[in-house]
Amino acid sequence: MHYLTRRFSFSASHRLNSTALDAKANACTYGLCENIHGHNYRLEVTVRGAIDPKTGFFCNVMDLTEVVKRLVVDPCDHHYLNDLPLFHGVITTMENIASRIWGAIEPELKKRGMSLSEVLVAETDEHWARIRAE
Ligand code: NI
């Protein structure tokens, strides 16, 4: 099995706040992240497949780029993530962002013959979250 990864980046703001917690618990859980702040997010999307001998690859990276840019990068870049339909109803942690991105792009990639393997979302160079196909 072969894997191909395309890296994207976007700048966006968000805040972490849970309606399931009271004000004190929110402050305790999220600290400064409860305030609106921004990140230069890094997004890495990995697809997998078997090489087609006719083309020498298993996915066209231009197709992958088009799908992720249209469904994720363009709507997110320079926006407040908490207000976007893509993240409606979830706390905009890296884990939830990765899950929603997976849900948004997976069907579209599948239509184009790509099998999604991993979505990685990094807020900084020091920490990130991934979701993988089982
Ligand atoms: Ni943050």
Side-chain angles (χ1 to χ4, degrees):
M1 189 69 73
H2 289 264
Y3 295 81
L4 182 141
T5 301
R6 172 71 157 88
R7 179 184 291 176
F8 303 86
S9 58
F10 58 91
S11 301
S13 58
H14 78 149
R15 72 182 286 249
L16 299 180
N17 178 270
S18 171
T19 54
L21 301 174
D22 63 21
K24 192 176 170 193
N26 265 300
C28 206
T29 303
Y30 300 121
L32 285 174
C33 293
E34 214 193 342
N35 300 327
I36 296 175
H37 62 281
H39 297 286
N40 293 315
Y41 285 92
R42 186 173 90 248
L43 166 64
E44 294 183 12
V45 176
T46 301
V47 292
R48 65 183 171 185
I51 295 174
D52 178 347
K54 286 197 296 261
T55 60
F57 53 56
F58 65 92
C59 90
N60 188 323
V61 75
M62 288 184 288
D63 282 349
L64 174 61
T65 301
E66 189 279 320
V67 168
V68 178
K69 273 183 66 75
R70 176 167 49 86
L71 296 177
V72 179
V73 176
D74 291 347
C76 290
D77 195 30
H78 287 72
H79 282 88
Y80 178 51
L81 300 182
N82 297 47
D83 279 351
L84 297 181
L86 184 58
F87 305 116
H88 180 75
V90 296
I91 303 162
T92 53
T93 56
M94 292 183 293
E95 293 88 336
N96 280 332
I97 290 171
S99 293
R100 286 294 177 91
I101 290 173
W102 181 289
I105 66 175
E106 196 272 338
E108 197 67 27
L109 294 176
K110 194 180 245 176
K111 275 191 222 162
R112 295 169 188 233
M114 287 177 267
S115 178
L116 187 56
S117 175
E118 181 176 292
V119 171
L120 179 154
V121 172
E123 288 182 342
T124 73
D125 286 340
E126 285 77 40
H127 65 283
W128 52 86
R130 292 181 239 210
I131 178 169
R132 288 179 173 151
E134 294 303 325

